[in-house]
Amino acid sequence: MAPTISGLIASAESGDPDAADALFAALYAELHELASRQLARGPGATLGTTTLLHEAYLNISQREGPRFPDRARFMGYAAKVMRGLVIDYARRRQALKRGGRFEITTLDEDAAGPAADAGELARIGEALDELARVEPALAELVDLKFFAGLSLIEIGELRGVSERTVQRQWERARTFLYGALREAS
Amino acid sequence: MARLSAERWVLVGPEFDRALELDPDGRVAWLESLRARDPALADDVESALADHRALDEQQFLEQPPAVPDEPAFAGRTFGAWTLVAPLGRGGMGSVWLARRSDGRYEGEAAVKLLNASLVGRAGEERFRREASILARLRHSGIAHLLDAGVSALGEPYIVLERVDGEPIDRYCDAGALSVEARVRLFLEVLDAVAHAHANLVVHRDIKPSNVLVDRNGRVRLLDFGIAKLLEADASSAPATELTEQGGRALTPEYASPEQVTGAPITTASDVYALGVLIYTLLAGVHPLAADRRSPADLIREIVDTEPRRLSDAAPDEDLRRRLRGDLETIVAKALKKRPEERFASVTAFAEDLRRWLRHEPIGARPDNPLYRLGKFVRRNRTAVTAAGLAVFGLVAATVVSWDRMREARRQRDAALYQKRRADGEIEFQHLLVSTIGAEPVTMRQIVDQGAILLDKEYGDDPGVAASIALALASQYEMLGDLEHQGETLRRAETLAERAGARDLVLRSRCSQAVNLRQRNHPDEGSALLARLQPELEHAPPEVLAECLNRQAESEMRANRFESAAALATRSVALAEQAGLTKGMPYLEVLNTRANAIENIGKGRDALAIYRRIDRLLEESGRGKTMFRTVIHNNIGTALSNLGEMTAAAPMLRRAMDEFRQSDPGDNVHPAILINYCRTMMFLRRLDEAALWYERLYRQSAAQNDPNMQDDGAYGMAEVEILRGRLDEAETWIAEEGRVQKRLAEPRVANAPYLEGTLAKARGDLGRARSALRRALTAQGYDRGERTYQMQAALIHAAEAALEAHAAQEALEYARAAHGIAAADPLTETRSAYVGEADLLEGRALLASGDTAGARTALARARAALIAGAGEDHPRAREADALLARLPS
């Protein structure tokens, strides 16, 4: 019988490294499938990442029953998975771009935002891994905010701290990452 | 400098936090003290702070990256379009480059997949309908909506002409455009928005990323009205559109106060956003210095904080000088917190900017009364043209004639004062015309300009100003602009009080009371009126007559016709007694009286009065006035109510065209629209009726007039039922129900009537009959009331009864309808309403076996229907066919 996600979380938290990998894979599959199903089902041709995560949580917790851990913990893991999904997507899109046939014009509404450059995202990911070794909460924060699209307020609620606290942590995390990227580029 | 490792960061982090909390001065001091303790740490903290400054500017990581699974769309088709590659992602969904699958469209387009959930078929219908309105927008400055639809999987999408361009703020900065050049470019934007507004589309999301400048330097606007397309379902409250699905907040930098507080969004909201845009383009910063604010703070400031003066926001002295003066006044007006204080239209906004470019005096008034009269001296005054005076006939007459009457009774001093006032008014006219110049001008522009001049020129003679203000107020009323009317009346009251002119105070208060009632505050209005009563009784006859007249008009709008007729008759009598029968005010009270008696069954008498007024207007040189248009409308309506549809139609059309000519926004007074549409509907010219009903609906929505909006939705529902498009009708019925909730006085009969007619069209007779019965009961049928408004319900009820083989019941309804429609002997043979009722009576008699009776009724029906609606009318043909089938 396939292990439940809650089971995997429990194992991962008690230090089982295989469980951690298995957990990641399971969540990845879950989220990916959810995304595809949503897109095929419609309405709403594209999905916000946050919605995706909320949906995933609802689905999985309903499926696995009352002993499934709370949203806060789930989100932490799922957000990291989200990071993986996003980076993968960026890599695929990059491949398309380099195909050379298509011209990207300024109909891009994210005119002010950073390009979803796969390379940069991957470097952010690496920097986050490094950060996670010493300050896991900060890395998780970046996953939640940047990759999963949660707002600072939501994250505050999730963690039971004030928005101000999260804001400060965010500034710290961002500065670290900026420094990391500056060096790497 | 080498970057910090994560381990190092653990030490630096807390210090960095602390440093960030301090203000710049404190930070320097604190760093110094840290340096004394641990220089290496201080270096690291400083480096981190430098990084932070840089990343803040670049908004590092502020925008989440794109969502997974977009590549899944490549190659999919949406309608006639095939998606080729992603172009970007943003607030409302993802955008894809697309080509037409059949190669019919030469170029490429952008398909936008929308993050919207459409609620069921009603939602889809609404989406399609909205999209088709947007598709009609054709202007060189607007990216054309090529197509829109919902895919088989239920995903809504729109197809836009692809625009290759740069956001306008970047374009201006990249080209280092001068102030004048930026204003000129901005005028192109205003042009495009004005076009959309004229077509009753509000953009709702104007911001630099939606205002592109293409390779030819032409402005192209994107996403017109798209925000509205996304309102998830018709029954939700107007979205503030500040958050997107997924909880990410969009920046509210361009949101107007009403958008932020959830109030209705109108064309004025676009004016606000345009104000923010031009401010940003000229000064380089947001009016509220938004860059450093959190969304929550910014939202509060949008509602509470006045923007900084444009010139004060300029970064250097040179620019400051250029921005000072009229230009900042114009921009400030667009940024007013209250919508009614902004430019009334984008056209007016553009006009002022053009005047600024030409160094002419502008219309917008600075808040600071110091106005540079220097400009006046430079410009040439144009001569008053004869045509100009004619248009003013209305403005002058309303004020002057009462006063001239009074003059004859006053003493010398008073007479002298009156003369000054009269001269003041003539001078006012001259001034008005000269300011406007020789260009063709519309009534709307004149009235607006009049309001402006009033402020400027008559500060020292409040008495004259007050009477002019009253005249202007009634002009606004005739244009259907109740907001400005109310505002002008308040001003008139203040001026009159200052002048100690009691009469004028009374007149303005009385008009305000009526204005309140019309604007959905009936209780306030009635209370005000009650307070005025004692003083009115002792006022001069013309004041009382005018107040009675206003009250009569108000009673009529509340459907209390007997009361209205009594008030109006009294008003006319007073005027005639006092010998005040020359001039506009008398014609106005005559008009009101005719309106009132028309509703108590004296339609033909009313028609005679209207025709008389029409003649008098022509003879007295007031042939081209707004009032005459009103009279034309009234003639047409009277004919329509008398069932003489073919005669009514051209008259109503004429009124409509005259009205449109006089208003640059191409608006039509809602009453005229309704009358026209009802007539068209009866004549079964359904496409025409639908076109204008929909127009009424959109116009009223844009002007925030729920009463008329309800009429529009109601009319559309009826038309769709007649057209057999029952699903669309359902959508409209739902919409009508939604709008009704916003009315102060509900229209209880609407819902059951629509329900009944819809059910009847579907063949659900049981439901139809009970619903129609409920509608009739709501209108007082069971109490014995018989009013015009019941006519339609009775006809439908009769038909439903016939289909259910309840001939007796049908007969009863048909006869009741006949009774209502047969106002006088002439109507028996001329009225299409009577004809319709007789037709149903004939069918009922036929069904109960009375062939002889049926023949008589049907013959009458045929005659009346042909006379009133033409021989091609379906009902006339029906009568014909039935007669032909009878045994001779």
Side-chain angles (χ1 to χ4, degrees):
Chain A
M1 194 180 79
T4 61
I5 295 203
S6 52
L8 286 171
I9 291 180
S11 308
E13 283 180 350
S14 55
D16 181 356
D18 291 346
D21 287 348
L23 174 60
F24 188 95
L27 280 176
Y28 191 114
E30 187 81 28
L31 284 169
H32 191 85
E33 222 235 348
L34 200 63
S36 315
R37 253 193 285 141
Q38 290 277 16
L39 293 167
R41 197 201 308 151
T46 53
L47 210 56
T49 49
T50 332
T51 318
L52 198 61
L53 284 175
H54 289 319
E55 283 251 17
Y57 177 75
L58 280 173
N59 287 354
I60 302 174
S61 63
Q62 260 168 19
R63 212 167 57 212
E64 299 202 2
R67 276 194 293 143
F68 191 76
D70 58 62
R71 276 183 70 237
R73 282 187 23 244
F74 172 82
M75 283 304 178
Y77 293 110
K80 182 157 180 249
V81 175
M82 209 66 222
R83 188 210 306 174
L85 270 167
V86 169
I87 294 179
D88 286 347
Y89 153 71
R91 288 203 178 103
R92 281 198 300 233
R93 203 168 79 141
Q94 196 102 320
L96 247 184
K97 253 196 202 180
R98 273 193 233 104
R101 282 194 296 149
F102 312 115
E103 206 190 301
I104 311 294
T105 70
T106 48
L107 199 52
D108 188 334
E109 293 168 13
D110 278 347
D117 176 60
E120 183 174 298
L121 287 177
R123 283 195 297 277
I124 293 178
E126 282 161 30
L128 281 176
D129 284 337
E130 188 189 334
L131 185 61
R133 276 189 286 117
V134 290
E135 291 212 72
L138 281 193
E140 189 183 283
L141 172 57
V142 177
D143 281 335
L144 285 170
K145 181 157 193 335
F146 181 65
F147 288 104
L150 267 69
S151 71
L152 291 176
I153 299 171
E154 284 179 47
I155 298 173
E157 275 172 14
L158 213 54
R159 291 180 166 187
V161 296
S162 72
E163 189 197 343
R164 192 78 199 89
T165 308
V166 186
Q167 173 90 34
R168 259 185 274 133
Q169 289 176 328
W170 172 242
E171 297 304 332
R172 224 188 315 158
R174 272 214 293 178
T175 311
F176 169 78
L177 286 174
Y178 187 82
L181 257 67
R182 177 168 57 77
E183 181 71 354
S185 55
Chain B
M1 172 156 200
R3 64 106 160 173
L4 302 165
S5 68
E7 283 77 11
R8 183 73 183 149
W9 191 253
V10 176
L11 291 170
V12 178
E15 304 300 328
F16 168 79
D17 273 353
R18 206 164 316 147
L20 220 53
E21 297 276 86
L22 300 167
D23 65 275
D25 294 1
R27 200 175 293 163
V28 171
W30 177 85
L31 263 174
E32 283 312 303
S33 76
L34 180 63
R35 195 169 291 281
R37 282 192 285 123
D38 183 350
L41 191 58
D43 279 350
D44 286 344
V45 173
E46 260 197 279
S47 162
L49 285 170
D51 278 354
H52 187 259
R53 272 197 299 279
L55 74 82
D56 204 21
E57 246 173 82
Q58 293 170 28
Q59 300 203 338
F60 181 63
L61 294 193
E62 280 303 327
Q63 290 278 30
V67 190
D69 285 285
E70 277 188 18
F73 284 120
R76 274 192 62 187
T77 53
F78 283 81
W81 305 84
T82 310
L83 301 191
V84 167
L87 286 175
R89 183 177 193 276
M92 293 169 211
S94 58
V95 189
W96 281 72
L97 178 64
R99 295 213 181 86
R100 229 187 126 104
S101 321
D102 54 15
R104 261 204 276 166
Y105 182 73
E106 276 290 304
E108 291 159 335
V111 171
K112 218 177 219 192
L113 304 166
L114 304 172
N115 258 350
S117 62
L118 304 174
V119 181
R121 290 221 39 210
E124 277 188 31
E125 258 316 300
R126 203 187 55 78
F127 174 81
R128 281 189 225 271
R129 208 172 356 100
E130 282 292 335
S132 75
I133 305 285
L134 298 178
R136 284 190 233 143
L137 282 181
R138 283 197 159 276
H139 188 273
S140 55
I142 299 178
H144 188 217
L145 183 75
L146 297 168
D147 200 358
V150 183
S151 78
L153 294 175
E155 305 141 302
Y157 64 91
I158 54 175
V159 186
L160 290 165
E161 181 189 349
R162 192 179 125 186
V163 174
D164 199 357
E166 228 184 325
I168 190 172
D169 52 356
R170 287 218 290 238
Y171 179 83
C172 287
D173 287 341
L177 297 187
S178 69
V179 171
E180 275 84 6
R182 286 174 197 232
V183 171
R184 271 184 234 281
L185 197 62
F186 185 69
L187 280 172
E188 272 186 53
V189 179
L190 292 185
D191 230 7
V193 178
H195 175 88
H197 286 185
N199 284 286
L200 306 170
V201 174
V202 182
H203 190 295
R204 292 169 153 238
D205 196 17
I206 295 176
K207 57 190 179 188
S209 56
N210 276 338
V211 182
L212 304 184
V213 184
D214 68 16
R215 294 183 198 273
N216 303 321
R218 302 285 311 282
V219 155
R220 311 297 307 281
L221 265 68
L222 306 179
D223 287 3
F224 254 102
I226 306 290
K228 182 140 190 285
L229 269 183
L230 299 181
E231 269 173 32
D233 70 270
S235 64
S236 63
T240 55
E241 287 146 28
L242 291 179
T243 53
E244 95 177 72
Q245 215 177 40
R248 245 202 295 158
L250 295 174
T251 174
E253 284 178 10
Y254 284 79
S256 57
E258 60 269 21
Q259 254 164 318
V260 155
T261 57
I265 293 172
T266 64
T267 51
S269 316
D270 275 355
V271 170
Y272 181 90
L274 288 166
V276 178
L277 181 61
I278 187 63
Y279 190 109
T280 313
L281 288 178
L282 293 175
V285 290
H286 186 278
L288 299 169
D291 338 323
R292 298 275 164 254
R293 305 260 187 278
S294 73
D297 286 336
L298 180 57
I299 286 171
R300 225 173 308 123
E301 293 210 3
I302 287 173
V303 178
D304 292 335
T305 312
E306 282 303 316
R308 217 159 34 133
R309 252 184 165 188
L310 185 66
S311 56
D312 287 342
D316 60 73
E317 183 54 47
D318 196 29
L319 185 57
R320 196 167 305 149
R321 220 177 337 111
R322 270 199 284 255
L323 296 181
R324 208 173 285 147
D326 281 350
L327 191 52
E328 60 188 357
T329 306
I330 296 172
V331 176
K333 182 162 177 170
L335 289 173
K336 290 279 181 202
K337 300 297 180 196
R338 291 170 61 201
E340 58 268 21
E341 289 179 19
R342 301 172 201 151
F343 289 100
S345 66
V346 171
T347 320
F349 193 175
E351 253 316 293
D352 260 6
L353 282 173
R354 290 202 171 93
R355 290 199 195 111
W356 176 81
L357 281 172
R358 297 195 297 258
H359 304 289
E360 289 170 7
I362 63 171
R365 239 186 70 80
D367 299 312
N368 139 24
L370 229 61
Y371 185 79
R372 292 193 327 211
L373 290 173
K375 271 186 179 167
F376 245 102
V377 174
R378 273 215 291 259
R379 234 186 121 237
N380 294 327
R381 287 199 176 207
T382 50
V384 175
T385 62
L389 272 179
V391 175
F392 275 99
L394 188 54
V395 179
T398 316
V399 177
V400 174
S401 44
W402 285 125
D403 293 347
R404 285 212 182 111
M405 299 311 138
R406 244 181 299 168
E407 204 183 306
R409 291 183 189 75
R410 292 275 188 104
Q411 293 164 24
R412 237 177 108 73
D413 303 330
L416 220 53
Y417 178 67
Q418 292 302 326
K419 182 172 192 313
R420 252 183 55 224
R421 268 164 88 154
D423 285 349
E425 278 141 18
I426 305 278
E427 191 201 291
F428 175 71
Q429 287 182 63
H430 282 245
L431 199 55
L432 194 50
V433 174
S434 70
T435 319
I436 286 169
E439 311 137 10
V441 86
T442 66
M443 192 42 134
R444 175 92 218 187
Q445 287 170 317
I446 290 176
V447 179
D448 284 342
Q449 189 64 12
I452 291 159
L453 266 189
L454 186 66
D455 277 342
K456 256 175 47 187
E457 299 294 317
Y458 291 93
D460 55 341
D461 193 346
V464 179
S467 47
I468 293 176
L470 281 176
L472 281 172
S474 63
Q475 293 296 302
Y476 275 122
E477 193 186 0
M478 254 177 245
L479 286 169
D481 186 344
L482 298 176
E483 307 274 345
H484 279 111
Q485 185 202 15
E487 192 186 293
T488 314
L489 285 171
R490 273 196 301 279
R491 203 180 302 156
E493 183 182 346
T494 315
L495 289 164
E497 275 173 341
R498 240 197 288 157
R502 204 63 211 157
D503 297 352
L504 294 175
V505 172
L506 279 176
R507 284 172 62 195
S508 65
R509 287 218 182 121
C510 184
S511 296
Q512 279 182 74
V514 174
N515 174 268
L516 280 168
R517 271 149 95 155
Q518 250 190 297
R519 285 162 73 184
N520 241 0
H521 302 296
D523 299 323
E524 265 186 74
S526 303
L528 180 53
L529 215 46
R531 282 201 298 275
L532 290 172
Q533 270 316 111
E535 221 187 316
L536 277 172
E537 299 293 331
H538 301 298
E542 63 267 18
V543 178
L544 183 52
E546 188 193 277
C547 193
L548 286 170
N549 189 37
R550 297 253 175 272
Q551 287 178 64
E553 287 169 351
S554 174
E555 288 296 279
M556 262 189 327
R557 279 187 279 267
N559 288 351
R560 290 188 287 264
F561 302 119
E562 295 286 350
S563 161
L567 285 163
T569 306
R570 212 176 130 208
S571 172
V572 171
L574 262 173
E576 284 169 354
Q577 263 166 39
L580 306 165
T581 54
K582 298 275 183 293
M584 280 297 300
Y586 177 62
L587 295 178
E588 278 183 35
V589 306
L590 270 185
N591 179 45
T592 311
R593 177 153 182 271
N595 283 352
I597 62 175
E598 201 185 330
N599 282 291
I600 51 171
K602 305 210 182 105
R604 215 160 287 280
D605 290 345
L607 187 57
I609 299 179
Y610 291 134
R611 287 195 160 130
R612 185 176 150 217
I613 299 176
D614 192 24
R615 244 187 355 262
L616 286 171
L617 282 170
E618 178 86 70
E619 283 164 18
S620 64
R622 300 195 186 96
K624 291 202 190 337
T625 59
M626 182 59 79
F627 186 56
R628 193 153 184 232
T629 304
V630 169
I631 295 297
H632 287 160
N633 167 68
N634 292 354
I635 294 175
T637 309
L639 286 167
S640 176
N641 286 336
L642 288 169
E644 296 179 32
M645 299 308 193
T646 37
M651 207 63 197
L652 288 168
R653 182 79 214 209
R654 187 172 164 189
M656 229 169 73
D657 290 337
E658 281 169 3
F659 202 99
R660 285 168 77 199
Q661 272 165 31
S662 74
D663 187 315
D666 211 18
N667 288 318
V668 186
H669 197 295
I672 302 181
L673 274 179
I674 292 174
N675 297 335
Y676 182 68
C677 289
R678 280 210 199 110
T679 310
M680 287 296 115
M681 199 160 67
F682 188 97
L683 287 172
R684 297 297 187 264
R685 282 155 60 173
L686 297 174
D687 288 338
E688 181 89 1
L691 177 69
W692 292 102
Y693 263 135
E694 175 137 27
R695 182 129 186 169
L696 169 68
Y697 172 78
R698 306 187 68 78
Q699 184 181 294
S700 320
Q703 294 175 342
N704 198 19
D705 183 352
N707 284 295
M708 292 304 170
Q709 202 182 345
D710 182 63
D711 279 316
Y714 181 87
M716 276 310 297
E718 273 205 276
V719 169
E720 295 293 38
I721 293 174
L722 280 172
R723 288 208 277 199
R725 294 169 45 166
L726 303 182
D727 287 336
E728 282 82 348
E730 260 190 54
T731 314
W732 282 109
I733 293 176
E735 182 63 19
E736 194 272 338
R738 185 186 78 88
V739 176
Q740 256 229 42
K741 293 201 183 94
R742 290 161 58 198
L743 302 181
E745 292 165 10
R747 299 167 179 182
V748 243
N750 283 6
Y753 173 80
L754 290 173
E755 189 193 322
T757 41
L758 181 64
K760 180 162 152 279
R762 289 214 161 108
D764 184 350
L765 292 176
R767 187 160 177 190
R769 289 169 72 194
S770 79
L772 287 166
R773 185 74 206 203
R774 263 183 289 131
L776 286 168
T777 307
Q779 292 174 314
Y781 182 77
D782 297 332
R783 292 196 303 270
E785 285 187 34
R786 301 285 182 263
T787 57
Y788 273 132
Q789 287 86 339
M790 285 178 190
Q791 185 83 17
L794 285 167
I795 298 292
H796 280 291
E799 265 185 334
L802 273 174
E803 282 171 45
H805 308 296
Q808 243 350 84
E809 189 180 308
L811 194 58
E812 178 198 318
Y813 287 139
R815 286 196 168 139
H818 178 114
I820 292 175
D824 58 61
L826 274 179
T827 40
E828 297 276 352
T829 48
R830 285 204 216 162
S831 164
Y833 284 132
V834 173
E836 211 179 27
D838 281 347
L839 172 62
L840 253 27
E841 186 179 331
R843 282 169 60 184
L845 289 171
L846 203 56
S848 26
D850 180 358
T851 321
R855 181 178 292 117
T856 318
L858 288 170
R860 273 200 330 254
R862 185 171 166 274
L865 282 164
I866 291 178
E871 58 189 12
D872 285 329
H873 194 277
R875 290 291 199 199
R877 292 230 190 98
E878 202 184 328
D880 240 350
L882 285 169
L883 270 171
R885 288 203 328 244
L886 283 181
S888 44

